[in-house]
Amino acid sequence: MYCLLKCAPLILAVAVCHGWLFGDFVEKQKELDEISLWPLPQKFQSSAVAFKLSPASFQIVHAKQSSAGPSCSILVNAFRRYFEYMFGDLKKHEKSRNKVYDSDLVELQVWITSADPQCDGYPSLQSDESYELSVDKPSAVLKAANVWGALRGLETFSQLVYKDDYGANNINKTEISDFPRFAHRGILLDSSRHFLPLKVILANLEAMAMNKFNVFHWHIVDDPSFPYMSRTFPDLSQKGAYHPFTHVYTPSDVKMVIEFARMRGIRVIPEFDTPGHTQSWGNGIKDLLTPCYSGSSPSGTFGPVNPILNSSYDFMTQFFKEISTVFPDAYIHLGGDEVDFSCWKSNPDIQKFMAQQGFGTDYSKLESFYIQRLLDIVTATKKGYMVWQEVFDNGVKLKADTQIHVWKERPQYQDEMAKVTAAGFNALLSTPWYLNRISYGQDWVNVYKADPQNFTGTDAQKKLVIGGEACLWGEYVDATNLTPRLWPRASAVAERLWSDKSVTDVGNAYNRLAQHRCRMVRRGIPAEPLFVGHCRQEYMGL
Amino acid sequence: MHTPPFKLKQKSADRAALNTDMYCLLKCAPLILAVAVCHGWLFGDFVEKQKELDEISLWPLPQKFQSSAVAFKLSPASFQIVHAKQSSAGPSCSILVNAFRRYFEYMFGDMKKHEKSRNKVYDSDLVELQVWITSADPQCDGYPSLQSDESYELSVDKPSAVLKAANVWGALRGLETFSQLVYKDDYGANNINKTEISDFPRFAHRGILLDSSRHFLPLKVILANLEAMAMNKFNVFHWHIVDDPSFPYMSRTFPDLSQKGAYHPFTHVYTPSDVKMVIEFARMRGIRVIPEFDTPGHTQSWGNGIKDLLTPCYSGSSPSGTFGPVNPILNSSYDFMTQFFKEISTVFPDAYIHLGGDEVDFSCWKSNPDIQKFMAQQGFGTDYSKLESFYIQRLLDIVTATKKGYMVWQEVFDNGVKLKDDTVVEVWIGNKMEEELQNVTGAGFTTILSAPWYLDYISYGQDWQRYYKVEPLNFPGTDAQKKLVIGGEACLWGEYVDATNLTPRLWPRASAVAERLWSDKSVTDVGNAYNRLAQHRCRMVRRGIPAEPLFVGHCRQEYMGL
């Protein structure tokens, strides 16, 4: 009745456990609802011995030995959230049940082991998200160094609870020891091409937590609109947003996103992409963008940030000073992708500057000149930075802890990952995970099959791969369709980035993911279907 | 594309010329040219001035309209939609009363906000819309049909606008158009321009297919999509209600069909009351509900509830335990169909039932020794399409006896089954679509087209343009043949959609089909359509439909749901 991890190699053991735990799923529809862990934990043992959970008496409590207590708002919030996920609205269960049966699981003890539980901290690239979960009667115990691991363990615990044929809540005797394969597991949302109401962002942060994602890469501004409301430069959104009041993120909105994310162990990394992708910045800041010329006179249109004016750098200094205080994360994404040189080429002042600097006609040198100065500005704010791969490709001098974000299809991302890591930089992969690109059928399968470490390189190089991000660019999505387009397709990325490298069985993944998406639907996330079928409880919205 | 004088750059000039008499007059110029001029003038500015974007965006474009820059104001506190004195319909006409309320709310939001009446009426106000039903029978209690007259005339001038239609069906279409003419000016005030519209549909059958078998669609989702259909002047809900994966239709005669064939016997079924509600909700919007009960293939879910209905497949000389299409050699199959379709013909009021008949897999029939024997007896040789035709022929007789007409997928025609004259053949196979239309109409049958409009097939980018560019009559044939094309349907098969993503996947992509089926053949300018459709989708969003964006941009009021 028990699948034991003895001295067999981990991979084999995991495979055995799968076989046993999920083998039945294919044959017996009824058992489908029983367990569907997503993403799959690194090590687990489960048995058919089941305990009952009574919503009226079951409790999630701080273990006696825990360094965290009732004042730890991250945990208290999480206890409530997961209790509701498991048992529905708390109010239903106010009447306490006195009798406790022998087969009951009466509580989950959450035991934070390190001296500082980080209750008031922010998650970071270095956060320890590992946890150990033991489900046995009368108490289950969740052990983690700090709140970040506890959050991941609570999600797993909630996924272990299932309803039996009588509708009673059950959980099987289980031992889990879990940790993420990659430290950076992100989702990129684009709030510039379409404005995303706060509600949509928050719902997707909830879905991220259900999938153990830990980074919200907020591509907050771009050419079409500038919804970030800057205290230092209010004209940026006043004149650059789709609408100055209804289509902006106020400082309070941003705070709420950051706090909502923190509660779920999710970092918020804002992207302020320059010098390209900045059309909307130009509305609010005079002379920030390069005037394009048509022949010998300005054409009235504008190109990238003007790299030859000191005022541009003065602006960036003040702007990123604000950003560095508004966003607590240690990293800022500085973009640096897709700089169109045609406007720079047309401008006689730029041409003169190029000659003075001895750049010849190599405009990528001018781009590097700009980026170099920008990086210095951001470094002065004590922030680390992420950049799109072009910045690396163009040979810009980068700090050692810079993260290079690989996104291009050519050259092949495997080659780019090898190059970036060979140069000693941290690499993040997004190329196979541009989820804005849609096609007919089960495209999650290819998403699932991509592996960030699948390139030729040394072990040291492989270790420099810190993770990846699923990107949902905003050309074709807004509040009406974003959430179902992202989920459960992004869940495939989530498992790739969390679970062991050996977890690659698509058939097994299908069964678990179909259940996981129904779980998300039950929790209020309109995650779309993988294929023909149904959820016990269908989505109640529109 | 329009002729060069009406290209974008010419439009400001056109506008200046037209502004002198403030009116775009349709005189003796041919209709197509006149429509083009009106477009040019009315929509020309949209490209240049963002602010005017919200002003007017009619979708689908009416057949004939004249509009002027003279604007009237509408006060939600005093504006009323009323029955014209001469109208044959009155306050007891629930279709109209419901529609008045619905469109009032679309235009002005919740009525409660405006309960305080405003006494003063200004000279520039439009005080009312009079709805004038001209024929003796307004059809207030009827159902829409293929023959329904949906034409209407709308005149907006002070102090009253007048909407004239033969019956309620035309009035519904006209109310939608009227509501699309109302726009907010810079001060947030409701405006409408002086306008004359004379409108009618190009095709009589303009449908949406939804599939409630591959995924169960909660009632709420179906009703919301009926609302969106009305906003786009669609008039047929083709309800592909059952199929292989599940049987959610709850039959009074054979309750085991859903009891054993639905995903869940209570939570994933349509009760008789649910079905009634769908039909009534659709009727209120001038939408026909045509159910599809597809046989003999696509019937796996039927077999759970009805013993011996499906053909037992054989593996070698013994039954394999799996089942194929409806068993065509047993009398019990036809007895069942007789009773079943008797029920269906009373539950669904429309004159047509869709009988499916597509994609019959012969492998199971081939494996079964009893079927083989029957084939030999009948002299069918090894041509199993003859067996299929044998079944369909008997089914059609059964349905004919219920006094219903039928629609079938194209295979039934292709296989040479004998069909009633009024059979509607639905062309769905993309390959050789023109040839099929030619053949079907050549044989004298009416047809509807859905091959180019399988909206379940998704791809990256603006695929609505592909749907928009389809011309249904673009096949070789006589005028008489062209007249047999009565419309088309946008199909959203259910493999990959359910309540979570159906509505944004359907809208506004289906809107492209809506305009193709309603508006004049000459309305083909994709750039102009983009501008109007972007606004139309924001209008749908404002009305609570999560219609997805066409491309980068925003709506004044973004979707408030998830």
Side-chain angles (χ1 to χ4, degrees):
Chain A
M1 298 300 278
Y2 225 75
C3 168
L4 289 169
L5 290 174
K6 287 182 182 163
C7 34
L10 171 64
I11 293 167
L12 187 64
V14 169
V16 171
C17 284
H18 289 196
W20 174 69
L21 197 56
F22 299 110
D24 274 1
F25 283 10
V26 182
E27 294 144 39
K28 264 177 87 181
Q29 167 82 15
K30 199 171 35 169
E31 292 189 32
L32 265 173
D33 288 330
E34 289 196 3
I35 298 181
S36 54
L37 294 174
W38 193 279
L40 202 65
Q42 297 279 349
K43 304 179 202 169
F44 69 87
Q45 311 171 350
S46 182
S47 102
V49 177
F51 310 120
K52 295 243 178 317
L53 292 84
S54 155
S57 59
F58 180 80
Q59 287 193 303
I60 309 180
V61 298
H62 301 279
K64 276 188 196 149
Q65 317 94 314
S66 179
S67 61
S71 69
C72 184
S73 68
I74 285 195
L75 286 186
V76 173
N77 266 282
F79 291 0
R80 181 178 60 195
R81 188 163 70 247
Y82 283 104
F83 191 92
E84 288 182 7
Y85 283 161
M86 291 184 286
F87 308 119
D89 196 340
L90 277 153
K91 284 175 197 151
K92 285 189 210 152
H93 311 295
E94 271 172 6
K95 276 178 278 176
S96 73
R97 204 183 62 157
N98 294 322
K99 189 151 185 185
V100 171
Y101 293 90
D102 198 38
S103 62
D104 280 6
L105 185 77
V106 298
E107 61 180 14
L108 168 64
Q109 297 181 359
V110 178
W111 177 5
I112 306 297
T113 58
S114 74
D116 176 11
Q118 303 188 28
C119 290
D120 300 310
Y122 288 93
S124 74
L125 184 61
Q126 288 75 35
S127 290
D128 179 359
E129 293 175 292
S130 66
Y131 65 92
E132 287 179 14
L133 177 61
S134 163
V135 179
D136 205 343
K137 67 179 178 185
S139 296
V141 178
L142 169 61
K143 219 167 125 181
N146 53 52
V147 294
W148 316 121
L151 289 173
R152 304 297 167 241
L154 283 164
E155 176 61 38
T156 302
F157 181 83
S158 75
Q159 295 190 1
L160 288 169
V161 176
Y162 63 94
K163 288 201 193 303
D164 67 16
D165 287 352
Y166 300 93
N169 297 292
N170 276 255
I171 190 164
N172 286 13
K173 190 163 145 66
T174 304
E175 297 289 329
I176 289 178
S177 169
D178 200 11
F179 53 89
R181 181 176 168 211
F182 294 104
H184 184 119
R185 306 178 307 280
I187 294 281
L188 177 150
L189 297 182
D190 168 1
S191 59
S192 172
R193 289 181 175 84
H194 285 98
F195 179 76
L196 303 176
L198 207 57
K199 186 175 171 181
V200 172
I201 293 179
L202 300 186
N204 280 281
L205 287 168
E206 295 210 292
M208 285 172 65
M210 297 173 198
N211 289 275
K212 297 190 169 74
F213 275 107
N214 67 356
V215 176
F216 170 34
H217 175 165
W218 194 352
H219 189 86
I220 190 166
V221 302
D222 204 303
D223 285 329
S225 77
F226 197 105
Y228 172 77
M229 188 175 144
S230 161
R231 284 186 192 277
T232 323
F233 300 101
D235 274 356
L236 280 165
S237 61
Q238 200 69 28
K239 298 182 179 170
Y242 283 129
H243 186 281
F245 310 132
T246 61
H247 288 61
V248 297
Y249 302 106
T250 66
S252 149
D253 293 339
V254 172
K255 260 191 203 157
M256 206 186 299
V257 167
I258 293 168
E259 182 63 6
F260 197 91
R262 186 181 83 86
M263 287 287 153
R264 287 152 183 83
I266 298 169
R267 302 161 59 198
V268 178
I269 300 181
E271 177 179 353
F272 289 92
D273 191 353
T274 65
H277 288 281
T278 48
Q279 288 295 304
S280 68
W281 303 49
N283 300 322
I285 308 296
K286 201 171 163 297
D287 296 333
L288 180 65
L289 303 185
T290 309
C292 314
Y293 276 64
S294 155
S296 59
S297 53
S299 68
T301 64
F302 295 88
V305 169
N306 194 329
I308 68 169
L309 299 181
N310 281 328
S311 58
S312 298
Y313 301 101
D314 292 346
F315 166 81
M316 292 296 168
T317 305
Q318 284 188 72
F319 182 75
F320 278 103
K321 196 175 150 199
E322 171 184 325
I323 297 308
S324 71
T325 59
V326 169
F327 292 91
D329 200 81
Y331 285 84
I332 297 175
H333 202 301
L334 298 176
D337 59 319
E338 299 184 312
V339 182
D340 179 7
F341 295 146
S342 58
C343 181
W344 280 349
K345 284 181 187 166
S346 77
N347 182 306
D349 297 330
I350 303 267
Q351 291 162 11
K352 216 162 85 188
F353 184 82
M354 292 280 290
Q356 282 167 2
Q357 296 285 328
F359 291 164
T361 55
D362 184 355
Y363 284 83
S364 74
K365 285 191 178 147
L366 181 60
E367 180 187 351
S368 294
F369 172 87
Y370 167 82
I371 296 274
Q372 205 81 256
R373 290 192 63 175
L374 179 69
L375 296 186
D376 292 344
I377 286 167
V378 173
T379 303
T381 69
K382 314 277 185 218
K383 293 284 186 184
Y385 38 77
M386 299 171 61
V387 289
W388 296 109
Q389 71 179 73
E390 285 98 318
V391 175
F392 167 79
D393 295 344
N394 289 342
V396 175
K397 199 181 128 207
L398 297 165
K399 275 198 300 180
D401 65 346
T402 302
Q403 299 170 358
I404 311 295
H405 200 159
V406 174
W407 70 278
K408 289 182 135 185
E409 289 186 0
R410 277 183 216 88
Q412 285 208 323
Y413 71 80
Q414 290 88 346
D415 297 343
E416 182 76 5
M417 294 293 281
K419 248 196 260 173
V420 168
T421 54
F425 290 108
N426 285 319
L428 271 170
L429 183 63
S430 277
T431 308
W433 297 324
Y434 265 38
L435 300 189
N436 50 304
R437 300 210 155 262
I438 55 169
S439 59
Y440 185 71
Q442 299 199 39
D443 60 359
W444 71 271
V445 174
N446 282 330
V447 166
Y448 188 71
K449 285 179 178 166
D451 192 298
Q453 288 176 328
N454 182 22
F455 62 87
T456 313
T458 64
D459 284 357
Q461 275 177 274
K462 301 290 170 87
K463 279 199 183 120
L464 288 169
V465 179
I466 55 168
E469 290 185 359
C471 300
L472 192 66
W473 294 99
E475 279 85 350
Y476 299 103
V477 291
D478 70 0
T480 62
N481 62 346
L482 182 145
T483 312
R485 186 156 297 179
L486 186 57
W487 308 103
R489 293 162 75 229
S491 303
V493 182
E495 179 152 299
R496 182 57 50 240
L497 294 174
W498 178 280
S499 303
D500 189 77
K501 191 174 181 165
S502 65
V503 179
T504 54
D505 182 333
V506 171
N508 175 292
Y510 178 90
N511 291 331
R512 284 182 296 118
L513 189 51
Q515 289 302 307
H516 181 55
R517 93 98 187 174
C518 285
R519 178 166 48 227
M520 289 193 275
V521 167
R522 204 165 57 236
R523 294 178 180 184
I525 303 296
E528 67 178 23
L530 294 178
F531 192 55
V532 175
H534 78 292
C535 295
R536 198 178 274 188
Q537 187 179 317
E538 302 288 354
Y539 185 60
M540 288 296 145
L542 242 199
Chain B
M1 293 300 287
H2 301 310
T3 46
F6 307 109
K7 276 189 177 164
L8 282 182
K9 282 181 183 170
Q10 292 286 328
K11 281 185 178 156
S12 44
D14 286 349
R15 179 171 193 180
L18 290 160
N19 270 348
T20 53
D21 59 1
M22 298 307 279
Y23 224 74
C24 166
L25 289 169
L26 291 175
K27 285 182 183 162
C28 34
L31 170 65
I32 293 167
L33 186 64
V35 169
V37 171
C38 284
H39 290 194
W41 174 68
L42 198 56
F43 299 110
D45 273 1
F46 283 10
V47 180
E48 294 143 41
K49 263 178 87 181
Q50 168 81 15
K51 201 169 34 169
E52 292 190 30
L53 265 172
D54 288 330
E55 288 196 3
I56 300 182
S57 54
L58 295 175
W59 193 279
L61 202 65
Q63 297 279 350
K64 303 180 205 170
F65 70 88
Q66 311 171 349
S67 183
S68 102
V70 176
F72 311 119
K73 295 244 179 313
L74 292 83
S75 155
S78 59
F79 179 80
Q80 287 193 304
I81 309 179
V82 298
H83 300 280
K85 275 187 195 148
Q86 317 94 315
S87 179
S88 60
S92 68
C93 183
S94 69
I95 286 196
L96 286 186
V97 173
N98 265 282
F100 291 179
R101 180 178 60 194
R102 189 164 68 248
Y103 283 104
F104 190 92
E105 288 182 7
Y106 283 160
M107 290 185 284
F108 308 119
D110 195 341
M111 291 186 85
K112 286 175 196 152
K113 285 188 209 153
H114 310 295
E115 270 172 6
K116 277 177 277 176
S117 73
R118 203 183 62 157
N119 293 323
K120 189 154 184 181
V121 170
Y122 295 90
D123 197 38
S124 62
D125 280 6
L126 185 77
V127 298
E128 61 180 16
L129 168 64
Q130 298 181 358
V131 177
W132 178 6
I133 305 298
T134 58
S135 74
D137 177 11
Q139 304 189 28
C140 290
D141 300 312
Y143 287 93
S145 75
L146 185 60
Q147 288 75 36
S148 290
D149 178 0
E150 294 175 291
S151 66
Y152 65 91
E153 287 179 14
L154 177 61
S155 163
V156 179
D157 205 342
K158 68 181 175 182
S160 296
V162 178
L163 169 61
K164 220 167 126 181
N167 54 51
V168 293
W169 315 120
L172 289 173
R173 304 296 168 244
L175 282 164
E176 175 62 37
T177 302
F178 182 84
S179 75
Q180 294 190 1
L181 288 169
V182 176
Y183 63 94
K184 287 201 193 305
D185 66 18
D186 288 352
Y187 300 93
N190 296 292
N191 277 256
I192 191 165
N193 286 13
K194 190 165 146 65
T195 304
E196 297 288 331
I197 289 179
S198 169
D199 200 11
F200 53 89
R202 181 174 172 215
F203 293 104
H205 184 116
R206 306 179 307 280
I208 294 280
L209 178 150
L210 297 182
D211 168 0
S212 60
S213 171
R214 290 181 175 83
H215 285 98
F216 178 77
L217 303 176
L219 207 55
K220 186 175 169 180
V221 172
I222 293 179
L223 301 186
N225 281 281
L226 287 167
E227 295 210 291
M229 285 172 65
M231 297 173 198
N232 290 275
K233 297 190 169 73
F234 275 107
N235 67 355
V236 176
F237 170 35
H238 175 165
W239 194 353
H240 189 86
I241 190 166
V242 302
D243 203 304
D244 285 329
S246 77
F247 197 104
Y249 172 78
M250 188 176 144
S251 161
R252 285 185 191 278
T253 324
F254 300 101
D256 273 356
L257 280 166
S258 61
Q259 200 69 27
K260 298 183 178 170
Y263 283 129
H264 186 282
F266 311 131
T267 61
H268 287 62
V269 297
Y270 302 106
T271 66
S273 149
D274 293 339
V275 172
K276 261 191 202 156
M277 208 185 298
V278 167
I279 293 168
E280 182 63 5
F281 196 90
R283 187 181 81 87
M284 286 288 153
R285 286 154 184 82
I287 297 170
R288 302 161 59 197
V289 178
I290 300 182
E292 176 178 353
F293 289 93
D294 191 354
T295 65
H298 289 281
T299 48
Q300 287 296 303
S301 68
W302 302 50
N304 300 322
I306 308 295
K307 201 172 165 297
D308 295 335
L309 179 65
L310 303 185
T311 309
C313 314
Y314 277 65
S315 156
S317 60
S318 54
S320 68
T322 63
F323 295 88
V326 169
N327 194 329
I329 68 171
L330 298 182
N331 281 328
S332 58
S333 297
Y334 300 101
D335 293 344
F336 166 81
M337 292 296 167
T338 305
Q339 285 187 73
F340 182 74
F341 279 103
K342 195 175 152 202
E343 172 183 324
I344 297 307
S345 71
T346 59
V347 168
F348 292 90
D350 200 81
Y352 284 84
I353 297 175
H354 201 299
L355 298 176
D358 58 319
E359 299 184 312
V360 183
D361 179 7
F362 295 146
S363 58
C364 182
W365 280 349
K366 284 180 187 168
S367 77
N368 182 306
D370 297 329
I371 302 267
Q372 290 163 12
K373 215 162 87 190
F374 184 83
M375 290 282 289
Q377 283 167 3
Q378 297 285 329
F380 291 164
T382 56
D383 184 355
Y384 284 83
S385 73
K386 284 190 178 145
L387 182 60
E388 180 187 352
S389 294
F390 172 87
Y391 168 82
I392 296 272
Q393 206 79 256
R394 291 191 62 173
L395 178 70
L396 297 187
D397 292 345
I398 287 167
V399 173
T400 303
T402 69
K403 314 278 184 219
K404 292 284 185 184
Y406 38 77
M407 297 174 60
V408 290
W409 296 108
Q410 70 179 69
E411 285 98 319
V412 176
F413 167 81
D414 296 344
N415 288 341
V417 175
K418 200 181 126 205
L419 297 165
K420 274 198 302 181
D421 286 346
D422 63 347
T423 302
V424 178
V425 178
E426 183 158 11
V427 174
W428 70 277
I429 297 176
N431 186 28
K432 297 185 181 168
M433 169 185 105
E434 286 87 3
E435 198 180 311
E436 183 76 8
L437 286 171
Q438 195 183 357
N439 291 341
V440 171
T441 56
F445 291 105
T446 49
T447 183
I448 60 173
L449 183 63
S450 58
W453 295 318
Y454 266 39
L455 302 192
D456 50 320
Y457 287 108
I458 55 168
S459 58
Y460 187 66
Q462 299 198 39
D463 55 2
W464 70 273
Q465 297 186 8
R466 222 171 41 234
Y467 311 132
Y468 191 73
K469 286 177 182 164
V470 172
E471 168 48 54
L473 300 189
N474 190 18
F475 64 91
T478 63
D479 283 358
Q481 276 177 280
K482 303 288 169 92
K483 282 201 182 115
L484 289 169
V485 180
I486 57 167
E489 290 184 350
C491 300
L492 192 66
W493 295 99
E495 279 85 351
Y496 298 103
V497 292
D498 70 359
T500 62
N501 62 346
L502 182 144
T503 312
R505 186 155 297 178
L506 187 57
W507 308 104
R509 293 160 77 229
S511 303
V513 182
E515 179 152 298
R516 181 56 51 241
L517 295 174
W518 177 281
S519 303
D520 190 78
K521 188 175 181 169
S522 66
V523 179
T524 55
D525 182 334
V526 171
N528 174 293
Y530 178 90
N531 290 331
R532 284 182 296 119
L533 189 51
Q535 289 302 307
H536 181 55
R537 94 97 187 174
C538 285
R539 178 166 47 227
M540 288 193 276
V541 167
R542 205 164 57 236
R543 294 178 180 185
I545 303 297
E548 67 178 22
L550 295 178
F551 193 56
V552 175
H554 78 292
C555 296
R556 198 180 272 188
Q557 187 179 316
E558 302 289 354
Y559 185 60
M560 288 297 147
L562 241 203

